[in-house]
Amino acid sequence: MILVAKWDRGSRGQGFLTGSRRGLEAGDQPNGPAMRLGAGMPGVLVPAAPEFFPLRDMQTLSVSDVPDKFTPRCTVVICTRNRPVELDRCLEAVQRLDYPRFDVLVVDNASRDARPREVAARRGVRYVVESVVGLSRARNSGARHSDAEIVAFLDDDSVPAPDWLARLVVEFKDPQVMAVTGRILPLNATPGQERVQSLPGGLDLGEERRAVDAQNPDWFRLANFGGIGNGGNMAYRHQAFDVWPGFDERIGHGTPLRGCEEHYAFFLLIERGYRVIYAPQAVVYHPFAETLEDLRSRHLRNLGASCGYMTLLFLEHRPYRGAILRYVAQWLRGDLRTWRWQLSENRRITPRWREMLACVPGPIFYFRALLRHGLRRDSDRPKSSSAA
């Protein structure tokens, strides 16, 4: 089932959908402490997005500020599963994006009930179902259902800033750029929670723009181990899906090898001779761990997934085995990941022995993923840069 709506421009440059029902009940204010969802989920309150909805409150990039008014058509893909409340909040923010040419596609990745479809219908956006669980599979499905020049991806529980899409898209003026990521900041975090997010295990990569291609001597490490960006805030040139097999459906959320699918995408695109940009001005707000203990737990889970991903790289990409071993040696020595936005003190949040123990199941995750999804055929394997 696909639902289609017309996208119009508001008087302040904000997008809205004609014929769609408002997401706020009468009397509610978008800048108040909470948003009440529309019909279908009565009485449900969710935290409001950060205080950025009035455009004057942010250093926004208006479409008129984009060099040469570079505004290719875009599709914003939101993959969702069993989170209709968060999806509604995300769509509320997406409808306020300051960009003239985009449509929205919700990919329902096997939700338990029809509530995500109801949210999409109420918001007036396109909706498709991907019945096989897996975030990589859902993203690939979203790209297949788009004919726009740029495909941007959001998590269903995230909230983009109004200028988010414009900030990502302007980087595609460079024809060598195949993917762009942005900054991910805590949603409604207190000062104490913001401090937690700046410790190891957080997603914030800081305020410095990065352009990474194969000419960068550190490109392999940056691409594969979190130095460019993360999947909750990224966009791809649609042409990328013609020169690269798409997100590897053996890995990512919903598979035994949870996570790292976006890093694998960056690696394969750079290996083919293209460039990936980290654009910190393109901001998305996302729920983060609220306590140090929550951050520790997530950090340890991510280490297991990272070790499984290293197993994939080591076994399937033999020319890079030396680089992988050097990276592991640097980690064992405790070398700092200088690309991360971290506090200068208290960098270690878990004992080293717990981190090493968390890595043990990693290879098991990889082999379980192979058993579930099977080995790729030789014709599907990524080509090396020399063969591309």
Side-chain angles (χ1 to χ4, degrees):
M1 175 180 181
I2 301 179
L3 303 171
V4 183
K6 178 182 177 183
W7 195 270
D8 290 329
R9 304 302 304 169
S11 60
R12 297 176 59 191
Q14 298 170 340
F16 65 94
L17 290 164
T18 58
S20 64
R21 182 167 181 162
R22 292 181 65 234
L24 301 178
E25 297 289 352
D28 288 338
Q29 299 298 319
N31 292 323
M35 296 190 297
R36 186 177 299 277
L37 300 182
M41 284 172 279
V44 178
L45 290 174
V46 297
E51 295 286 340
F52 64 66
F53 282 127
L55 297 185
R56 64 180 181 275
D57 291 344
M58 287 284 292
Q59 293 181 350
T60 57
L61 177 70
S62 172
V63 170
S64 61
D65 297 328
V66 177
D68 301 326
K69 295 186 178 180
F70 178 70
T71 55
R73 196 158 58 87
C74 305
T75 296
V76 177
V77 175
I78 305 170
C79 301
T80 189
R81 186 166 189 258
N82 300 324
R83 292 200 290 206
V85 173
E86 292 84 351
L87 173 64
D88 196 79
R89 180 181 61 190
C90 181
L91 288 172
E92 170 74 17
V94 168
Q95 289 178 206
R96 298 174 180 270
L97 291 175
D98 184 21
Y99 193 81
R101 303 176 63 205
F102 74 102
D103 69 309
V104 182
L105 173 64
V106 171
V107 181
D108 187 344
N109 195 201
S111 292
R112 288 189 297 265
D113 54 42
R115 287 183 297 167
R117 180 175 58 188
E118 294 167 0
V119 170
R122 184 172 64 253
R123 293 291 181 184
V125 301
R126 291 197 295 152
Y127 171 91
V128 298
V129 174
E130 173 50 62
S131 58
V132 178
V133 176
L135 182 55
S136 290
R137 191 177 181 94
R139 285 172 173 160
N140 287 337
S141 178
R144 285 196 302 271
H145 283 90
S146 169
D147 60 358
E149 297 171 68
I150 306 297
V151 183
F153 294 94
L154 285 172
D155 288 349
D156 59 1
D157 57 347
S158 64
V159 177
D163 62 347
W164 163 72
L165 189 56
R167 295 284 190 181
L168 287 179
V169 167
V170 71
E171 298 288 354
F172 287 100
K173 282 180 64 70
D174 179 351
Q176 286 300 109
V177 171
M178 277 292 178
V180 181
T181 71
R183 195 174 186 186
I184 301 178
L185 296 177
L187 178 65
N188 289 342
T190 65
Q193 290 169 348
E194 289 177 351
R195 184 181 184 281
V196 168
Q197 300 317 315
S198 65
L199 293 167
L203 297 178
D204 188 2
L205 298 186
E207 301 173 342
E208 180 182 351
R209 178 184 178 275
R210 287 190 196 99
V212 181
D213 56 29
Q215 303 305 310
N216 185 321
D218 205 24
W219 76 267
F220 180 82
R221 185 174 72 151
L222 291 171
N224 283 294
F225 305 121
I228 300 179
N230 293 282
N233 182 356
M234 61 182 181
Y236 291 77
R237 200 182 296 275
H238 201 284
Q239 180 189 351
F241 292 86
D242 297 327
V243 300
W244 149 73
F247 295 99
D248 192 321
E249 296 176 4
R250 300 173 300 169
I251 63 178
H253 287 269
T255 74
L257 185 48
R258 178 186 176 99
C260 298
E261 75 286 348
E262 71 271 44
H263 304 149
Y264 197 41
F266 304 152
F267 159 60
L268 295 177
L269 287 171
I270 294 174
E271 187 189 44
R272 282 163 166 70
Y274 298 105
R275 185 172 298 124
V276 179
I277 304 292
Y278 168 64
Q281 300 298 322
V283 175
V284 163
Y285 296 87
H286 191 281
F288 274 56
E290 296 184 357
T291 67
L292 185 57
E293 187 55 40
D294 291 339
L295 187 65
R296 287 193 186 103
S297 297
R298 189 179 70 185
H299 177 55
L300 293 174
R301 288 195 304 270
N302 289 344
L303 282 173
S306 296
C307 189
Y309 178 55
M310 286 187 198
T311 305
L312 180 152
L313 291 173
F314 191 84
L315 295 180
E316 299 186 15
H317 298 273
R318 296 180 62 181
Y320 301 98
R321 287 180 175 177
I324 296 168
L325 293 175
R326 284 192 295 274
Y327 181 82
V328 172
Q330 292 165 356
W331 178 74
L332 291 173
R333 291 198 305 265
D335 292 359
L336 298 179
R337 304 291 181 252
T338 56
W339 60 75
R340 295 201 181 275
W341 184 256
Q342 296 175 346
L343 295 178
S344 58
E345 75 277 7
N346 298 325
R347 290 187 179 272
R348 182 160 299 284
I349 61 174
T350 55
R352 176 49 61 90
W353 68 268
R354 288 192 64 186
E355 293 182 338
M356 297 184 70
L357 190 63
C359 292
V360 171
I364 299 174
F365 297 154
Y366 167 70
F367 288 111
R368 285 180 58 197
L370 293 189
L371 289 174
R372 177 176 296 186
H373 295 277
L375 291 168
R376 287 189 168 190
R377 300 187 303 272
D378 287 342
S379 60
D380 294 330
R381 286 188 179 277
K383 299 178 182 178
S384 66
S385 56
S386 59

